[in-house]
Amino acid sequence: MRIVVALGGNALLRRGQALTAENQRENVQIASRALAPLAEAHELVVTHGNGPQVGLLALQEAAYTEVDEYPLDVLVGETMGMIGYMIEQEMGNLLAPDKPLATVLTMVEVDPNDPAFDDPTKFIGPVYSEDVARKNAEEKGWSIKPDGDKWRRVVPSPAPKRIFQIRPIRWLLENGSVVIAAGGGGIPTMYDRAGHLTGVECVIDKDNCSSMLATEIDADVFVVATDVEAVFLDWGAPEQKAIRKASPDMMDAFDFPGGSMGPKVGAAQDFARATGNKAIICSLKDIEAAIRGEAGTTISTSVAELELVPS
Amino acid sequence: MRIVVALGGNALLRRGQALTAENQRENVQIASRALAPLAEAHELVVTHGNGPQVGLLALQEAAYTEVDEYPLDVLVGETMGMIGYMIEQEMGNLLAPDKPLATVLTMVEVDPNDPAFDDPTKFIGPVYSEDVARKNAEEKGWSIKPDGDKWRRVVPSPAPKRIFQIRPIRWLLENGSVVIAAGGGGIPTMYDRAGHLTGVECVIDKDNCSSMLATEIDADVFVVATDVEAVFLDWGAPEQKAIRKASPDMMDAFDFPGGSMGPKVGAAQDFARATGNKAIICSLKDIEAAIRGEAGTTISTSVAELELVPS
């Protein structure tokens, strides 16, 4: 089987943890233990988020004023090197010494006419007081929005249109290599009027990009690994139930929070519809059971009846 | 032909330039124009330095004190993402739209018993007054050495022992992809006593690593692209002469400066001796002419007589 696993942000950094190299490495080790059995038995692509890491790089840049800050596309490239390295090294430590692994820098084309550019919505970096946020907005051309009682920078989050490295990723998989790719949703790029590909100040949703990657490399399974065990109905209420199996159309009947579960469900639906194969949303530790249908939420066009599990 | 081109630091940043994203991109565009014809006609791997970029990341980290600084291996990974992205994008802009390119994160094993660890020699990062340097040495465990009338951090520069991504790089080349790899000499790693691969606080010479890469992928030509037109005898004197052709053994008869031309010549000799193929040291703009033997310095075991060109 060919499997794409999208690692959620918590696989790299748990809530409340300081963003040190040591903490990241410890979490990557935990994630690698969950992924290693998949790498041994299947073709595996690992994708990952990069939100806190991009935020940290931006803060470090802002703190050192001798050189102008680099644009977001370059920072995303940096985080792919940083995180890809840790994942590749720690997975390599768990696999047979001759198992090849490769981290492939991933660039993604977005459409300059994507409506997302008219309405930046994606929070990025730290929170500021309104004053500081407004000052940054003026000086750096940021869009800003309130986040609770604080303010943050927002950037557009357009849809991925094309992933440039699909063929290299396929070739590596065909030769038996574990591939780490599409970190942080990929480096956002677009063609300018002269036909040159350039970077763009935006971020691409990691699950959305991973879903497109899984579709384009003809993955048999697309797994969104997160910190909850499944997609729940009535989440947090006494009557909450986990969705064990659903078709993409059945999932349309429910509302999920836009900032967290919504994009994951959407990405899973897209993959299931485009390929006829199954998408899974589950916790990292349950991936193998979820692939067997015994844990997590499986979304597939072949599901005839909604299956719920009381929790 | 299969060609490896090692881009010198000046291909990314000319002396005296500020390390802005714009300056780097402009230089990468110039380098890409020199490399594109090679990518069209041959199998091509591009490697590159990262000295100023690692230095900048270290300064940015030091300026933001909320999170502990990351170790050097992680920073090298970051620079591979940053620089690899720029090279891949700008080369892609000059090549046919369907030409595949891939940047492969490269990890390199070094030997914990390498004598370089007993004598750190490689300057890294900015210059400091002696006071500040000594304070940093104490607080951060740095080794420091005088550089002119200032002081700098020094790290060991051990020999590369193994490049982990040789097979992925080969597979990509065999499928027609331009490959960008071994940035900054690769991420330095070693096996600890428990047999786990971990990062190391050192840097690997970029030309040395590139030479090993070229040897291990059976390159036909290894090019060290730099900012001088050739290797010169009596450099700077009225009687200076460019070496057009020499065998590796003939090169042993001459002394070249340890900090600049010496490592390049050594890397070229290593490749020529290991493979019987030709190594070239030349300026970026002359690569095509140098491959034809009409510019630069060619080092090959098949050269029977030293060929000099008065300048």
Side-chain angles (χ1 to χ4, degrees):
Chain A
M1 277 202 302
R2 180 171 287 181
I3 304 176
V4 173
V5 177
L7 292 180
N10 69 302
L12 301 169
L13 194 76
R14 275 166 289 162
R15 280 176 231 286
Q17 276 189 318
L19 190 52
T20 62
E22 294 72 23
N23 283 342
Q24 284 191 77
R25 191 170 282 279
E26 197 184 302
N27 290 316
V28 167
Q29 285 168 345
I30 294 168
S32 296
R33 284 197 283 274
L35 295 172
L38 298 181
E40 281 163 358
H42 307 288
E43 290 182 4
L44 177 65
V45 177
V46 181
T47 70
H48 59 84
N50 73 345
Q53 291 80 8
V54 161
L56 177 62
L57 289 178
L59 285 169
Q60 290 170 338
E61 295 222 314
Y64 182 75
T65 54
E66 297 289 309
V67 172
D68 285 349
E69 291 168 51
Y70 283 23
L72 206 45
D73 53 325
V74 175
L75 299 193
V76 173
E78 290 180 36
T79 65
M80 282 186 197
M82 174 202 310
I83 302 167
Y85 160 54
M86 290 193 194
I87 295 174
E88 182 170 341
Q89 189 175 59
E90 295 302 341
M91 285 198 67
N93 275 330
L94 297 171
L95 297 171
D98 64 344
K99 180 73 179 173
L101 299 99
T103 302
V104 177
L105 195 86
T106 310
M107 295 194 285
V108 176
E109 183 188 354
V110 300
D111 185 340
N113 298 316
D114 192 301
F117 287 105
D118 300 326
D119 180 25
T121 56
K122 181 89 180 168
F123 288 117
I124 182 166
V127 299
Y128 300 97
S129 67
E130 185 173 347
D131 284 1
V132 174
R134 288 201 184 282
K135 187 159 162 283
N136 279 328
E138 200 165 306
E139 285 176 4
K140 302 178 182 177
W142 290 0
S143 298
I144 54 169
K145 278 190 178 164
D147 183 17
D149 59 347
K150 292 285 193 171
W151 287 67
R152 288 176 81 184
R153 182 182 180 190
V154 284
V155 294
S157 186
K161 188 178 162 187
R162 177 185 171 196
I163 298 171
F164 287 94
Q165 287 77 15
I166 291 294
R167 288 173 298 164
I169 292 167
R170 273 182 176 277
W171 296 325
L172 293 168
L173 288 172
E174 286 162 6
N175 281 286
S177 182
V178 176
V179 176
I180 297 133
I187 300 177
T189 65
M190 61 168 63
Y191 287 101
D192 65 17
R193 282 158 193 272
H196 283 86
L197 192 70
T198 58
V200 197
E201 288 282 306
C202 67
V203 295
I204 299 160
D205 180 76
K206 175 261 301 173
D207 295 310
N208 209 343
C209 178
S210 302
S211 172
M212 173 179 257
L213 173 63
T215 301
E216 300 217 334
I217 63 168
D218 301 306
D220 298 292
V221 185
F222 169 49
V223 179
V224 180
T226 179
D227 54 354
V228 292
E229 284 169 22
V231 184
F232 284 85
L233 298 181
D234 302 313
W235 172 246
E239 68 272 24
Q240 76 172 23
K241 289 185 186 67
I243 300 174
R244 175 57 45 83
K245 285 178 186 161
S247 71
D249 290 352
M250 292 169 199
M251 296 300 278
D252 279 340
F254 311 116
D255 254 344
F256 300 103
S260 57
M261 196 49 90
K264 294 182 203 304
V265 170
Q269 286 175 298
D270 288 347
F271 174 80
R273 285 182 170 128
T275 62
N277 295 334
K278 66 181 175 186
I280 292 169
I281 299 171
C282 67
S283 74
L284 198 52
K285 66 175 171 37
D286 290 337
I287 291 182
E288 290 185 274
I291 291 174
R292 293 193 303 268
E294 296 161 11
T297 297
T298 293
I299 300 173
S300 163
T301 51
S302 69
V303 173
E305 201 172 342
L306 186 70
E307 193 178 319
L308 301 176
V309 184
S311 66
Chain B
M1 278 203 301
R2 180 171 288 182
I3 304 176
V4 173
V5 177
L7 292 180
N10 70 301
L12 301 168
L13 193 76
R14 276 166 287 162
R15 280 176 230 286
Q17 277 189 319
L19 190 52
T20 61
E22 294 72 23
N23 284 342
Q24 284 192 78
R25 191 170 282 280
E26 199 184 301
N27 289 317
V28 168
Q29 285 168 344
I30 293 167
S32 297
R33 284 196 284 273
L35 295 173
L38 298 182
E40 281 163 357
H42 307 288
E43 290 182 3
L44 177 65
V45 178
V46 181
T47 71
H48 59 84
N50 74 344
Q53 290 80 9
V54 162
L56 176 62
L57 289 178
L59 285 169
Q60 290 170 339
E61 294 222 316
Y64 182 75
T65 54
E66 297 289 309
V67 171
D68 284 349
E69 292 166 51
Y70 283 24
L72 205 45
D73 54 323
V74 175
L75 299 192
V76 172
E78 290 180 35
T79 65
M80 282 188 197
M82 174 204 305
I83 302 168
Y85 161 53
M86 290 192 192
I87 295 174
E88 181 169 340
Q89 189 175 61
E90 295 302 340
M91 285 200 66
N93 276 330
L94 297 172
L95 297 171
D98 63 346
K99 180 73 179 173
L101 299 100
T103 302
V104 178
L105 195 85
T106 309
M107 294 195 285
V108 177
E109 183 189 354
V110 300
D111 185 341
N113 297 316
D114 193 301
F117 286 105
D118 300 324
D119 180 25
T121 55
K122 182 87 179 167
F123 288 118
I124 181 166
V127 298
Y128 301 97
S129 67
E130 185 174 346
D131 283 0
V132 174
R134 289 201 183 280
K135 187 160 164 281
N136 279 328
E138 199 164 308
E139 286 177 2
K140 300 178 182 176
W142 290 359
S143 298
I144 54 169
K145 279 193 178 162
D147 183 16
D149 59 346
K150 294 284 193 172
W151 287 67
R152 288 175 81 184
R153 181 182 182 191
V154 283
V155 295
S157 185
K161 189 177 160 186
R162 176 186 172 195
I163 299 171
F164 288 94
Q165 288 76 15
I166 291 294
R167 288 173 298 165
I169 292 167
R170 274 184 175 276
W171 296 327
L172 293 169
L173 288 172
E174 285 161 8
N175 280 286
S177 183
V178 176
V179 177
I180 297 132
I187 299 178
T189 65
M190 61 169 62
Y191 287 101
D192 64 17
R193 282 159 192 272
H196 283 85
L197 192 69
T198 58
V200 197
E201 288 281 306
C202 67
V203 295
I204 298 159
D205 180 77
K206 174 260 300 172
D207 295 310
N208 209 344
C209 178
S210 303
S211 171
M212 173 179 257
L213 173 63
T215 301
E216 299 217 335
I217 63 169
D218 300 305
D220 299 291
V221 185
F222 170 50
V223 179
V224 180
T226 180
D227 54 354
V228 292
E229 283 168 21
V231 184
F232 284 86
L233 297 181
D234 303 314
W235 171 248
E239 67 273 23
Q240 75 171 26
K241 290 185 187 67
I243 300 174
R244 174 57 45 83
K245 285 176 187 163
S247 71
D249 291 350
M250 291 170 200
M251 295 301 277
D252 279 340
F254 311 115
D255 253 346
F256 301 104
S260 57
M261 196 49 88
K264 295 181 204 305
V265 169
Q269 286 174 296
D270 288 347
F271 174 80
R273 284 183 171 128
T275 63
N277 295 332
K278 65 182 175 184
I280 292 169
I281 299 171
C282 67
S283 74
L284 197 51
K285 65 175 172 37
D286 290 338
I287 291 182
E288 289 184 276
I291 290 173
R292 294 193 304 267
E294 296 162 11
T297 296
T298 293
I299 298 173
S300 163
T301 51
S302 68
V303 173
E305 201 172 343
L306 186 70
E307 194 179 319
L308 301 176
V309 184
S311 67

